[in-house]
Amino acid sequence: MAESVELPSRLGILPFRNKVLLPGAIIRIRCTSPSSVKLVEQELWQREEKGLIGILPVRDAAESTTAVGPVLSQGVGSDSGERSSRIQVGTSDSQRLDVKNQQEIIHWHTRGVAARALHLSRGVEKPSGRVTYIVVLEGLCRFSVQELSTRGTYYTARISPLEMTKADMEQVEQDPDFITLSRQFKATATELISILEQKQKTGGRTKVLLETVPVHKLADIFVASFEISFEEQLSMLDSVDLKVRLSKATELVDRHLQSIRVAEKITQKVEGQLSKSQKEFLLRQQMRAIKEELGDNDDDEDDVAALERKMQSAGMPSNIWKHAQRELRRLKKMQPQQPGYNSSRVYLELLADLPWQKVTEEHELDLKAAKEHLDSDHYGLHKVKQRIIEYLAVRKLKPDARGPVLCFVGPPGVGKTSLASSIAAALGRKFMRISLGGVKDEADIRGHRRTYIGSMPGRLIDGLKRVAVCNPVMLLDEIDKTGSDVRGDPASALLEVLDPEQNKTFNDHYLNVPFDLSKVVFVATANRVQPIPPALLDRMEVIELPGYTPEEKLKIALRHLIPRVLDQHGLSSEFLQIPEDMVKLVIQRYTREAGVRNLERNLAALARAAAVRVAEQEQAVPLSKDVHQLTSPLLENRLADGGEVEMEVIPMAVNNHELSNTFRIASPLVVDEAMLEKVLGPPRFDDREAAERVATPGVSVGLVWTTFGGEVQFVEATSMVGTGELHLTGQLGDVIKESAQIALTWVRARAADLKLAASDEINILEGRDIHIHFPAGAVPKDGPSAGVTLVTALVSLFSHKRVRADTAMTGEMTLRGLVLPVGGVKDKILAAHRCGITRVILPERNLKDLVEVPAAVLASLEILLAKRMEDVLEQAFEGGCPWRQHSKL
């Protein structure tokens, strides 16, 4: 224990930042800075056991600006060659110093503690070679700083001891107040020691301190072992008067004793509430007891109680509410550490979040406004828009009517998804899109069972949770692209969803309770009808969206695409102008599609070229008139205080058009043919393609239907020396191969009638093979509608007569020469119109399908109807069929 020691008049000073070493306390420190290492070397290491240093508390700069107390500010040099300092009381002068001077001020406390080294070890860091010291210090006695100076890299101070003499100490010990304080301190300390020894089960070694150490030193030792604030430590250090010191120490010991008693009380209360089966809940019970002791037992912080209130306000049906209550009671009996706690909690949160009764209030339907909205968003599509208006009219007359599920079928880029969005806008409901493309797992529709790890609800239930209403417009996108594997068939799961008689009690595997989907308005989209299972197709009303005509594409580009593209690229008509004639050229030469997506991409390429020209202009950019001069009070204050501001962000309330107005160019960029070829490259399509392809006999022009709309398909036939075999190429399916075999058989059987052979006994294939090729060999092809095209190509080959270049045809043929109807007539006619074909041969029984073709397209085409194969040949060749009169048919 620290005994009385004689202090020298000057001590080396080691600063302690925000910490105090009291007499009798022991502390272990590591010295690494050059100043502290130098101090330890000269004052402790070299003097060995006689070495003493002074420990002086130092305040942080942030705290020193508010605290009022003794501060040492550095002065000018002295006669001894050391730089001395003088003591100032208060901080008012130092606070007035500027920033640079404040950085040099060290805020010392005026009282410290002399310390000696109980243990000292030296080390060298590798590879830097820096010397460090680990020192165990013991506080001895208090001193007061009279003058502070520097010696080399560390500080020294002229000090005066603050400890009482032996005579003064004997006089104080006779003071009745001191005796009373001593007894009170010892009683409190004895009680604290008893509780600590009982908890730690020590042998009473601590009580020996009370009998052997003077009471005024005991006060410092006890306080040094507590975790108290820096201000309380300084107050204890400044307590030179023994009675004041004992009074503060008694208060701190008593406070520590009370905190231990409160902790014991909480522990006893918790243990009293625990049963044998609840011992694992110790941590949660302690938390509740602590809240009760603090008076902070707020139910709002109880997550389970909050979840229960949320479930009560969810509006669940009675049978589902009973199921939810059972799950909630089960959750309350569980602990967060148990395996099934999180899954049960997530399940109950889903039940509480689902919109069981919450609906979007529909405003009164205005059919005229809905029609104007559809017309503004979509050009053409009159039949489709009329069907949507009829659907809305029924909804207006009978809001709870179970309308059919609309399925928009058409090639990409014709506006299927945006039509569904327009229906939601007309009804005033929320819109939700679920993409079914590539979905092969039934659980994506019905959800996973909760027995699986990582289970989750299906896309329908999850989507309803996100929109938070039970009557949205739900778009089932790409419904024709679902698959099936060992995990189930999503299309079969959709049967219950889209059936109005069954979806009132839709059962999601994860939810495991029925959910009413009858208020949801379902809309589906598809590119083809064929992949959709018949049972699922039966539950939907198919509305076909064919491709657009060039005239419709032109109107769409002028009304919708060009304004949108300019806005997306930060341009306006002042920068870029695309004349109507140039748009026509883009449609004719660079896009042959059913939709308008490629058209929009080409227009975007022109806009990017214009954006480059605008951005590269070299003239100065003036500020827009809409950008006003702004001032910032924060900026003004900082500049007034002489501070530095790195950056001040000033908002500019301008949109893209206003920002574009800051650029000025001499004249707008007008697109011409030269710019089209420069930006978009050489034309990809040519109206003369058909004429060039059929310039030789053996080539005919057919019409086919694909998922991207109608297309023109050339069929090429040629002969060569061989053994009468038929070769087919072009990635053909089984059906089209059979059509080619039927076509060849029919031509061979009618060879003499068609003047392809002198008599019926002559084999036109004798000594030669026939090769039929469908160009674009990388694209798979199949279907029966190429029958008449194959016959025409073979007749042209054998007769050495060319097929008319302005004529295209489609139709299935039988072995007896009948021409049967085919599908996709509207798309095929539009494809012929796009490619510059003026004559189209169709099966006679497809006459009814011409009603769907736009009148403008029909007016520019000559539609030729054929009942038999001879009718096709009559129209396919220039000058008719001269051999028809010899035909036996």
Side-chain angles (χ1 to χ4, degrees):
M1 202 55 55
E3 63 274 359
S4 298
V5 62
E6 185 177 351
L7 296 180
S9 62
R10 184 171 291 273
L11 281 178
I13 299 298
L14 180 65
F16 266 29
R17 187 173 302 277
N18 295 333
K19 189 168 182 61
V20 175
L21 176 66
L22 293 175
I26 298 175
I27 190 170
R28 181 177 179 270
I29 62 173
R30 184 170 182 263
C31 300
T32 58
S33 65
S35 59
S36 58
V37 168
K38 192 70 172 176
L39 170 69
V40 172
E41 277 185 354
Q42 294 191 2
E43 303 292 337
L44 297 179
W45 183 265
Q46 296 178 3
R47 300 186 181 183
E48 297 181 351
E49 297 179 357
K50 298 180 180 179
L52 293 177
I53 61 173
I55 305 299
L56 206 58
V58 177
R59 292 179 181 271
D60 276 341
E63 297 179 0
S64 63
T65 57
T66 56
V68 177
V71 175
L72 290 175
S73 61
Q74 295 181 5
V76 229
S78 63
D79 296 337
S80 62
E82 295 182 343
R83 214 167 44 159
S84 63
S85 304
R86 69 179 187 276
I87 296 176
Q88 295 181 344
V89 180
T91 60
S92 57
D93 294 336
S94 64
Q95 290 175 0
R96 298 191 187 99
L97 298 176
D98 59 10
V99 177
K100 294 182 180 179
N101 291 337
Q102 282 185 9
Q103 293 176 355
E104 298 178 359
I105 290 182
I106 300 176
H107 302 276
W108 303 90
H109 197 65
T110 55
R111 289 175 179 172
V113 173
R116 66 180 177 184
L118 297 181
H119 176 76
L120 189 61
S121 62
R122 180 175 179 174
V124 179
E125 292 184 350
K126 294 182 179 180
S128 62
R130 185 175 64 169
V131 177
T132 62
Y133 285 95
I134 296 178
V135 188
V136 178
L137 295 173
E138 179 188 14
L140 299 178
C141 58
R142 293 173 174 81
F143 63 80
S144 176
V145 179
Q146 303 299 322
E147 183 184 55
L148 190 65
S149 59
T150 57
R151 178 184 297 164
T153 59
Y154 63 91
Y155 290 92
T156 63
R158 185 165 57 84
I159 64 170
S160 60
L162 294 177
E163 295 297 326
M164 302 180 68
T165 62
K166 187 175 181 180
D168 294 337
M169 189 65 203
E170 291 177 354
Q171 183 178 355
V172 171
E173 288 177 351
Q174 304 299 323
D175 189 345
D177 293 337
F178 178 79
I179 296 174
T180 304
L181 286 172
S182 299
R183 290 174 180 173
Q184 184 179 358
F185 174 77
K186 284 190 175 183
T188 307
T190 302
E191 186 176 0
L192 175 62
I193 291 173
S194 300
I195 293 177
L196 293 177
E197 288 182 345
Q198 184 178 1
K199 292 174 68 68
Q200 300 172 4
K201 296 182 180 180
T202 58
R205 291 170 294 176
T206 313
K207 290 184 178 180
V208 179
L209 292 173
L210 298 177
E211 301 173 356
T212 58
V213 179
V215 66
H216 64 281
K217 293 185 178 181
L218 275 177
D220 288 330
I221 295 173
F222 268 79
V223 172
S225 63
F226 299 153
E227 291 186 2
I228 57 177
S229 67
F230 181 56
E231 294 298 329
E232 289 176 325
Q233 294 177 19
L234 289 179
S235 175
M236 194 66 186
L237 178 63
D238 292 338
S239 301
V240 179
D241 185 87
L242 295 184
K243 291 188 288 185
V244 175
R245 189 186 309 173
L246 277 179
S247 177
K248 291 182 178 180
T250 304
E251 179 184 350
L252 292 173
V253 172
D254 185 65
R255 189 173 70 185
H256 191 68
L257 180 62
Q258 294 300 324
S259 65
I260 294 178
R261 287 174 176 171
V262 170
E264 283 189 345
K265 182 180 178 183
I266 293 173
T267 304
Q268 291 175 359
K269 187 173 183 180
V270 170
E271 291 176 350
Q273 294 175 354
L274 292 178
S275 63
K276 185 177 181 179
S277 62
Q278 293 176 322
K279 288 185 178 180
E280 60 198 52
F281 303 158
L282 177 62
L283 194 57
R284 179 172 293 276
Q285 296 293 337
Q286 285 181 340
M287 185 183 300
R288 291 179 180 175
I290 290 172
K291 286 185 178 181
E292 290 179 2
E293 193 67 30
L294 296 175
D296 191 20
N297 190 17
D298 191 0
D299 289 338
D300 291 337
E301 294 182 5
D302 192 342
D303 294 339
V304 177
L307 178 59
E308 184 175 8
R309 289 193 297 273
K310 188 176 181 181
M311 292 170 57
Q312 291 172 350
S313 61
M316 303 179 193
S318 57
N319 59 329
I320 299 174
W321 172 241
K322 292 180 182 178
H323 171 77
Q325 282 183 314
R326 286 196 300 270
E327 287 288 333
L328 185 62
R329 286 195 296 268
R330 178 170 168 266
L331 180 69
K332 289 181 177 178
K333 296 177 182 178
M334 301 170 67
Q335 280 301 300
Q337 297 80 11
Q338 290 185 246
Y341 180 86
N342 285 332
S343 61
S344 295
R345 181 181 178 84
V346 171
Y347 175 70
L348 289 175
E349 287 178 348
L350 175 64
L351 289 178
D353 290 336
L354 282 178
W356 300 95
Q357 304 292 339
K358 186 177 179 181
V359 297
T360 302
E361 295 296 333
E362 295 185 11
H363 52 72
E364 185 177 356
L365 283 174
D366 187 348
L367 296 183
K368 183 178 179 181
K371 190 173 185 306
E372 292 176 354
H373 183 73
L374 288 172
D375 289 337
S376 64
D377 288 349
H378 306 85
Y379 181 83
L381 306 176
H382 301 292
K383 182 181 177 182
V384 178
K385 289 191 282 191
Q386 181 60 33
R387 180 63 186 88
I388 294 175
I389 293 298
E390 294 171 359
Y391 177 84
L392 297 177
V394 174
R395 282 276 178 180
K396 181 176 182 180
L397 298 178
K398 189 175 176 58
D400 57 343
R402 296 179 184 175
V405 177
L406 302 181
C407 180
F408 298 125
V409 178
V414 295
K416 301 184 295 295
T417 303
S418 57
L419 277 173
S421 177
S422 298
I423 293 175
L427 291 173
R429 296 191 181 187
K430 292 186 177 182
F431 178 70
M432 180 180 64
R433 174 181 170 272
I434 297 178
S435 178
L436 299 178
V439 173
K440 295 184 178 181
D441 192 352
E442 179 189 358
D444 282 336
I445 307 299
R446 290 188 177 274
H448 303 81
R449 299 190 183 276
R450 292 174 56 202
T451 52
Y452 296 107
I453 296 176
S455 59
M456 61 182 67
R459 297 193 181 190
L460 277 76
I461 296 298
D462 184 63
L464 290 172
K465 173 188 172 183
R466 284 187 280 112
V467 297
V469 290
C470 63
N471 65 337
V473 174
M474 185 178 293
L475 173 64
L476 304 177
D477 208 6
E478 309 291 354
I479 199 172
D480 60 326
K481 294 180 177 58
T482 58
S484 60
D485 57 11
V486 294
R487 294 172 294 181
D489 184 6
S492 300
L494 287 172
L495 294 176
E496 179 185 3
V497 175
L498 300 181
D499 192 337
E501 299 298 329
Q502 300 181 33
N503 61 13
K504 292 184 295 184
T505 56
F506 173 70
N507 191 4
D508 184 275
H509 288 160
Y510 181 86
L511 201 60
N512 204 27
V513 291
F515 191 89
D516 187 5
L517 295 179
S518 60
K519 298 178 183 178
V520 179
V521 176
F522 289 101
V523 180
T525 66
N527 294 129
R528 295 189 300 159
V529 176
Q530 288 78 8
I532 304 177
L536 181 60
L537 191 63
D538 181 63
R539 284 163 166 77
M540 301 183 293
E541 178 181 345
V542 176
I543 300 177
E544 293 187 357
L545 280 75
Y548 295 110
T549 65
E551 291 76 15
E552 290 175 334
K553 289 183 179 180
L554 178 62
K555 297 294 184 183
I556 293 172
L558 295 176
R559 295 186 183 182
H560 301 285
L561 299 184
I562 293 179
R564 183 166 66 197
V565 165
L566 292 179
D567 181 68
Q568 290 174 351
H569 292 78
L571 300 173
S572 67
S573 58
E574 298 179 4
F575 303 103
L576 177 65
Q577 293 181 4
I578 307 178
E580 185 174 334
D581 295 339
M582 294 300 104
V583 180
K584 288 182 180 179
L585 288 180
V586 173
I587 295 173
Q588 294 171 2
R589 298 182 181 180
Y590 295 93
T591 62
R592 279 187 181 174
E593 55 173 346
V596 292
R597 285 181 180 165
N598 282 332
L599 176 58
E600 185 174 5
R601 292 188 187 103
N602 287 321
L603 294 175
L606 296 174
R608 289 194 297 271
V612 171
R613 178 184 173 187
V614 173
E616 287 182 346
Q617 63 180 348
E618 296 182 357
Q619 67 182 62
V621 180
L623 280 176
S624 172
K625 61 182 180 181
D626 294 325
V627 182
H628 305 288
Q629 183 67 30
L630 298 178
T631 59
S632 171
L634 179 60
L635 181 61
E636 293 176 355
N637 292 339
R638 290 181 181 176
L639 294 179
D641 293 340
E644 295 181 357
V645 179
E646 293 183 359
M647 180 177 66
E648 184 74 15
V649 179
I650 302 178
M652 297 173 63
V654 292
N655 55 28
N656 288 344
H657 294 293
E658 293 169 339
L659 193 58
S660 297
N661 289 336
T662 63
F663 295 92
R664 294 289 181 267
I665 57 177
S667 61
L669 179 62
V670 181
V671 177
D672 54 12
E673 288 192 46
M675 182 177 177
L676 285 183
E677 292 198 10
K678 180 180 179 182
V679 176
L680 303 181
R684 301 173 190 170
F685 307 101
D686 192 349
D687 292 341
R688 296 171 296 177
E689 181 182 6
E692 294 173 355
R693 297 285 285 271
V694 299
T696 58
V699 181
S700 59
V701 184
L703 296 174
V704 297
W705 183 90
T706 69
T707 56
F708 301 98
E711 294 289 344
V712 170
Q713 175 67 60
F714 293 93
V715 177
E716 301 175 349
T718 189
S719 63
M720 53 196 164
V721 177
T723 58
E725 294 183 357
L726 174 65
H727 303 277
L728 300 172
T729 56
Q731 277 212 54
L732 307 181
D734 293 336
V735 176
I736 203 168
K737 289 179 180 178
E738 293 176 356
S739 297
Q741 192 65 52
I742 292 171
L744 181 59
T745 301
W746 187 87
V747 172
R748 292 177 63 186
R750 303 296 187 274
D753 300 332
L754 299 175
K755 290 187 177 181
L756 304 179
S759 64
D760 292 340
E761 287 77 16
I762 298 178
N763 182 9
I764 60 175
L765 294 182
E766 185 175 357
R768 59 180 173 179
D769 291 345
I770 303 299
H771 187 164
I772 298 177
H773 177 64
F774 286 72
V779 181
K781 308 169 190 71
D782 203 3
S785 62
V788 296
T789 313
L790 287 163
V791 171
T792 304
L794 290 172
V795 172
S796 173
L797 174 67
F798 293 137
S799 65
H800 302 288
K801 293 183 179 291
R802 291 183 298 178
V803 179
R804 293 185 59 164
D806 60 348
T807 303
M809 61 199 73
T810 183
E812 180 183 0
M813 67 163 291
T814 67
L815 203 57
R816 295 297 179 181
L818 293 176
V819 179
L820 301 182
V822 293
V825 172
K826 182 178 180 181
D827 290 315
K828 293 177 180 179
I829 293 178
L830 292 176
H833 181 61
R834 286 197 301 269
C835 295
I837 303 293
T838 58
R839 303 172 76 244
V840 177
I841 301 176
L842 293 177
E844 188 179 55
R845 291 167 61 182
N846 280 119
L847 178 62
K848 63 182 184 301
D849 297 319
L850 296 179
V851 180
E852 300 177 357
V853 181
V857 176
L858 289 177
S860 62
L861 294 176
E862 182 182 357
I863 306 297
L864 306 170
L865 301 177
K867 186 176 182 179
R868 302 187 61 85
M869 193 61 229
E870 288 80 359
D871 300 331
V872 176
L873 297 176
E874 178 74 22
Q875 303 294 342
F877 292 93
E878 192 72 43
C881 184
W883 49 82
R884 184 180 176 87
Q885 56 185 347
H886 301 286
S887 176
K888 297 179 181 179
L889 298 177

